């Protein structure tokens, strides 16, 4: 299937007129070839980078462990300026190791236009100055690898910052060599509406395509030099030892007209080729963000976030039988990575807010996420029930500083003044308060992650036999001859006499997790369990 789409989209690229043309809804690119050689703008590195794989010290299973998504700006400040940084993150690696995560996904750490969310990249080969330096980043890689943790960085391939030197040059002159690096049209195309707005922005010398924001103009990925630029940037980081990438907005890479601007076949072709490049390095990881086409891009990229599933997981954690049934029927492709929430408001509020602070539901949600197939992701602070803060407004409401202590002024995030308001439950839901409490949400996460890391069937096995019975979900995870049986009762009242049939007669199932002891099937191969409210049960077959 993937190879067929690759062939079709290659043909499409060779015959753009038949597919709708490039970037401007059928119009030709503006302008033609440059009339003179243009100097490389100051502040941009266009040098070629040859592949030089430093190898990997991580074990082969690291890509199957759970990942922590970290917004460096909000994780830990090391110098008292109130902004999180790389040295602060390095100081928290022992915590992350003790939690049991095997990988980190860092939101963009490049220099950016807004110096906050980071997706308007101004320099693809340097670190945001608020976060530190390339030397600090190299030290992060070194220290994370010593702890068996991989580091994956966000890569924005679809667009740059409007202050990127190449866009500034592209905007300044319609005839220079950089004009065609972005998508320009004159006059403005008509009939376009993306996310409720016109994606064509007036740039003084024409109209440029920027569907997300006027500060984030799209690269012209039909230009081979632009693709080469990105390939060299990827090698720059891979050669330093980065363990992989999360690719942003891969559904938006090419547009073939006002009704064909998302999930175009050329997008799959490009990401397939990028996957081959990254796959030429040892033990690297790649995952794509494609909210409206997760399954398709999981094939092209190797992995994609399971958008849509997060609301089903939250619904099931509430004990909703309809959501439990939907979860039992959900796609269990291991290329689809589950998550409960992330940095984008459109993906949902933090679980604490969605589940009204109910700890039982939060524990169930953690199990539903971490015991599924695929590589699961945890959004920083989720493991302690950190709340979002609507007072921040929009996406900042779910990007508060991490709650390390009960200090009402700093939450242990900084010795200075936090750049953003703290989570509104930081004085009660924080790492220090939960660390020594064996029944805390934090220690529940630790036990689940230890279980996942210890059982190959849970880390990399298939998921089959999923069954919904009211508020109870059960399924098997299998890897070779190893089999693990998971039962999650999401209901808020106890259930007695839950029966599973079809087991070998008199088989004894070893309990790995949850209240109670081992369980034994009867002579007819039936096993009966009594399930406390909001309980998780994991058994290993002999």
């Amino acid at each position: 299937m993937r190879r067929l789409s690759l062939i079709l989209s290659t043909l499409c690229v060779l015959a753009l007129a038949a597919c709708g043309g490039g970037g401007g809804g059928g119009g030709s690119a503006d302008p033609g070839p440059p009339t003179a050689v243009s100097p490389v703008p100051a502040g941009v590195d266009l040098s070629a980078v040859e592949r030089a794989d430093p190898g990997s010290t991580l074990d082969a299973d690291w890509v199957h462990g759970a990942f922590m998504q970290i917004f460096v700006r909000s994780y830990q400040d090391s110098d008292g300026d109130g902004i999180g940084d790389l040295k602060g993150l390095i100081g928290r690696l022992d915590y992350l190791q003790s939690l049991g995560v095997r990988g980190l996904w860092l939101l963009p750490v490049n220099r950016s236009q807004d110096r906050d969310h980071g997706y308007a990249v101004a320099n693809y080969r340097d670190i945001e100055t608020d976060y530190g330096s390339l030397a600090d980043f190299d030290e992060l890689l070194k220290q994370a690898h010593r702890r068996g943790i991989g580091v994956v960085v966000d890569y924005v391939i679809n667009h740059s910052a409007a202050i990127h030197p190449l866009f500034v040059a592209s905007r300044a002159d319609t005839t220079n060599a950089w004009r065609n690096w972005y998508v320009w049209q004159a006059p403005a195309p008509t009939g376009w509406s993306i996310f409720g707005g016109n994606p064509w922005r007036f740039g003084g010398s024409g109209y440029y395509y920027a569907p997300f924001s006027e500060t984030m103009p799209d690269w012209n990925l039909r230009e081979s030099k632009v693709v080469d630029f990105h390939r060299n940037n990827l090698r720059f980081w891979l050669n330093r030892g980065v363990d992989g990438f999360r690719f942003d907005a891969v559904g938006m890479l090419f547009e073939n007209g006002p009704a064909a601007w998302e999930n175009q076949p050329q997008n799959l072709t490009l990401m397939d080729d990028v996957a081959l490049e990254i796959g030429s390095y040892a033990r690297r990881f790649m995952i794509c963000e494609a909210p409206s086409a997760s399954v398709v891009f999981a094939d092209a990229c190797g992995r994609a976030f399971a958008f849509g599933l997060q609301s089903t997981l939250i619904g099931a954690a509430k004990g909703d039988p309809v959501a439990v049934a939907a979860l039992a029927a959900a796609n269990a492709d291991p290329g689809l990575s589950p998550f409960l929430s992330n940095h984008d408001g459109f993906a949902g509020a933090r679980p604490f807010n969605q589940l009204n602070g109910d700890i039982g539901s939060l524990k169930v949600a953690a199990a539903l996420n971490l015991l599924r197939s695929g590589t699961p992701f945890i959004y920083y602070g989720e493991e302690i029930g950190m709340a979002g803060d609507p007072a921040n407004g929009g996406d900042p409401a779910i990007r508060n500083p991490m709650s390390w202590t009960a200090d009402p002024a700093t939450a242990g995030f900084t010795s200075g003044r936090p750049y953003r308001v703290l989570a509104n439950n930081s004085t009660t839901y924080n790492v220090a308060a939960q660390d020594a409490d064996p029944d805390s949400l934090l220690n529940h996460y630790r036990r689940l992650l230890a279980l996942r890391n210890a059982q190959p069937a849970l880390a990399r096995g298939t998921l089959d036999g999923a069954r919904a019975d009211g508020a109870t979900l059960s399924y098997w995870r299998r890897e070779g001859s190893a089999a693990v049986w998971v039962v999650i009762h999401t209901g808020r009242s106890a259930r007695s006499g839950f029966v599973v049939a079809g087991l070998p007669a008199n088989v004894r199932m070893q309990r790995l997790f949850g209240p109670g002891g081992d369980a034994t099937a009867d002579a007819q191969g039936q096993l009966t369990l009594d399930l406390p409210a909001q309980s998780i049960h994991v058994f290993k077959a002999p």
Side-chain angles (χ1 to χ4, degrees):
M1 185 76 176
R2 185 167 96 182
R3 294 301 168 188
L4 177 59
S5 73
L6 177 63
I7 294 168
L8 291 174
S9 24
T10 301
L11 292 174
C12 188
V13 171
L14 293 174
L16 289 178
C19 296
S28 60
D30 173 25
T35 58
V37 175
S38 304
V40 176
V44 61
D45 184 356
L46 293 183
S47 62
V49 179
E50 298 300 324
R51 186 182 301 115
D53 185 3
S56 173
T57 60
L58 301 174
D59 65 56
D61 277 344
W62 84 272
V63 297
H64 301 295
F67 276 59
M68 180 68 76
Q69 179 191 356
I70 290 177
F71 184 28
V72 171
R73 193 173 189 84
S74 285
Y75 203 63
Q76 181 66 65
D77 172 27
S78 71
D79 58 13
D81 67 355
I83 297 172
D85 48 50
L86 294 172
K87 288 182 178 178
L89 174 54
I90 291 169
R92 294 298 185 178
L93 288 175
D94 285 343
Y95 165 79
L96 292 161
Q97 182 183 28
S98 73
L99 183 61
V101 298
R102 300 300 311 277
L104 307 180
W105 159 29
L106 308 184
L107 271 68
V109 294
N110 306 101
R111 291 190 183 181
S112 68
Q113 181 159 345
D114 77 311
R115 303 181 69 185
D116 190 336
H117 69 78
Y119 286 95
V121 178
N123 190 325
Y124 280 83
R125 299 190 192 181
D126 207 354
I127 297 294
E128 173 60 58
T129 54
D130 285 340
Y131 296 169
S133 64
L134 281 169
D136 294 330
F137 185 82
D138 291 341
E139 184 65 17
L140 170 65
L141 293 178
K142 177 182 175 182
Q143 294 301 329
H145 292 164
R146 282 182 176 176
R147 293 163 175 82
I149 298 173
V151 178
V152 169
V153 295
D154 227 313
Y155 192 87
V156 187
I157 195 170
N158 178 69
H159 52 266
S160 77
I163 64 169
H164 194 289
L166 291 175
F167 181 72
V168 173
S170 173
R171 185 174 188 163
D173 186 347
T174 62
T175 62
N176 69 24
W178 317 111
R179 183 70 167 186
N180 203 42
W181 282 52
Y182 292 85
V183 182
W184 287 92
Q185 290 283 311
T190 59
W192 289 72
S193 179
I194 298 179
F195 309 134
N198 186 351
W200 293 96
R201 322 281 180 163
F202 182 60
S205 57
Y207 291 82
Y208 64 94
Y209 184 75
F212 288 107
S213 163
E214 64 181 9
T215 64
M216 293 187 283
D218 271 30
W219 293 104
N220 177 13
L221 294 168
R222 301 188 196 278
E223 170 59 65
S224 61
K225 292 179 181 178
V226 174
V227 175
D228 288 342
F229 167 70
H230 284 300
R231 287 185 182 280
N232 284 314
N233 292 336
L234 294 174
R235 293 188 194 113
F236 174 87
W237 294 105
L238 289 165
N239 291 356
R240 296 188 87 90
V242 162
D243 300 292
F245 302 93
R246 177 263 190 188
F247 285 90
D248 181 64
V250 298
M252 305 287 290
L253 305 181
F254 292 86
E255 51 285 335
N256 291 313
W261 51 266
E262 189 177 26
N263 304 325
Q264 298 301 291
Q266 297 98 318
N267 301 24
L268 297 171
T269 301
L270 178 59
M271 296 317 298
D272 188 281
D273 289 345
V274 168
L276 291 174
E277 179 71 48
I278 294 171
S280 68
Y281 286 74
R283 296 179 182 171
R284 296 309 202 268
F285 181 94
M286 174 177 169
I287 188 166
C288 288
E289 179 207 33
S292 62
S294 298
V295 173
V296 175
F297 279 96
D299 186 39
C301 300
R303 293 177 187 82
F305 291 102
F307 277 94
L309 184 68
Q310 78 275 19
S311 58
T312 305
L313 292 168
I314 293 293
K318 293 178 179 179
D320 177 9
V322 174
V324 172
L327 197 54
N331 192 331
D333 181 349
L336 293 171
S337 285
F339 65 97
L340 299 177
S341 68
N342 66 18
H343 63 293
D344 280 322
F346 76 80
R350 280 188 173 271
F352 184 90
N353 300 86
Q354 294 191 64
L355 297 173
N356 299 314
D358 181 74
I359 295 300
S361 296
L362 287 164
K363 288 182 175 180
V364 167
L368 292 172
N369 185 34
L370 297 177
L371 300 181
R372 276 190 69 80
S373 54
T375 300
F377 281 73
I378 305 163
Y379 188 38
Y380 78 96
E382 213 164 76
E383 76 276 17
I384 55 170
M386 199 168 107
D389 187 353
N392 274 326
D395 290 341
I398 50 177
R399 301 181 190 179
N400 308 76
M402 177 67 176
S403 302
W404 295 104
T405 73
D407 187 319
T410 70
F413 163 71
T414 180
S415 60
R417 180 180 179 180
Y419 83 101
R420 178 170 287 159
V421 67
L422 302 174
N424 60 21
N425 66 350
S426 64
T427 58
T428 50
Y429 287 81
N430 55 73
V431 173
Q434 296 187 33
D435 195 40
D437 177 3
D439 294 326
S440 69
L441 182 61
L442 173 59
N443 281 309
H444 177 72
Y445 266 85
R446 283 174 172 153
R447 287 190 292 271
L448 284 172
L449 289 169
L451 174 66
R452 181 184 175 89
N453 291 336
Q455 298 296 325
L458 289 174
R460 58 175 184 266
T462 59
L463 188 157
D464 60 44
R467 170 193 171 198
D469 189 335
T472 306
L473 173 71
S474 61
Y475 53 82
W476 287 91
R477 299 293 311 278
R478 303 182 192 275
E479 168 71 6
S481 61
V484 171
W485 186 48
V486 178
V487 179
I488 302 175
H489 179 52
T490 70
R492 297 194 178 192
S493 59
R495 175 176 186 171
S496 59
F498 176 72
V499 177
V500 61
L503 297 171
N506 304 312
V507 67
R508 185 179 183 85
M509 302 285 283
Q510 177 190 358
R511 181 179 288 275
L512 301 177
F513 193 96
D518 295 349
T520 302
D522 62 19
Q524 285 72 48
Q526 288 193 350
L527 191 151
T528 303
L529 295 175
D530 291 331
L531 307 175
Q534 298 177 311
S535 57
I536 298 102
H537 309 262
V538 182
F539 297 92
K540 186 175 183 179

